[in-house]
């Protein structure tokens, strides 16, 4: 979570809706996702906190999971 300060109630609600809408339009560059996850894993990051389940992580790594 990134705290945003100085937003009024209307701005906060607009941002909340826009943020959720952006997620609906999002997609993944599979190769970039694989590289980023692999690099984070090598750095010792706990990839499970990202919200991907085991199957999604395995698919991102092409069937094998690291990190």
């Amino acid at each position: 979570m990134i705290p945003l300060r100085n937003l009024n109630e209307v701005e906060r609600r607009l941002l909340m809706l826009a943020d959720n809408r952006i997620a609906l339009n999002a997609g993944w560059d599979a190769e970039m996702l694989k590289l980023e996850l692999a690099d984070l894993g090598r750095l010792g990051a706990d990839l499970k906190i990202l919200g991907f389940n085991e199957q999604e992580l395995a698919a991102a790594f092409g069937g094998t999971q690291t990190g």
Side-chain angles (χ1 to χ4, degrees):
M1 176 191 282
I2 300 172
L4 298 176
R5 301 190 194 332
N6 302 320
L7 294 179
N8 65 39
E9 180 66 14
V10 172
E11 292 168 329
R12 184 192 66 76
R13 291 169 63 185
L14 286 169
L15 179 60
M16 179 184 66
L17 292 173
D19 185 53
N20 284 293
R21 180 63 189 165
I22 290 168
L24 292 174
N25 295 332
W28 295 105
D29 177 325
E31 187 59 29
M32 289 300 294
L33 178 62
K34 180 179 179 178
L35 293 171
E36 188 67 21
L37 290 172
D39 194 40
L40 287 168
R42 280 191 295 276
L43 292 170
D46 180 4
L47 301 180
K48 293 176 184 169
I49 67 170
L50 294 173
F52 293 102
N53 65 36
E54 293 288 328
Q55 293 81 18
E56 291 167 329
L57 285 172
F61 284 107
T64 59
Q65 184 182 344
T66 62

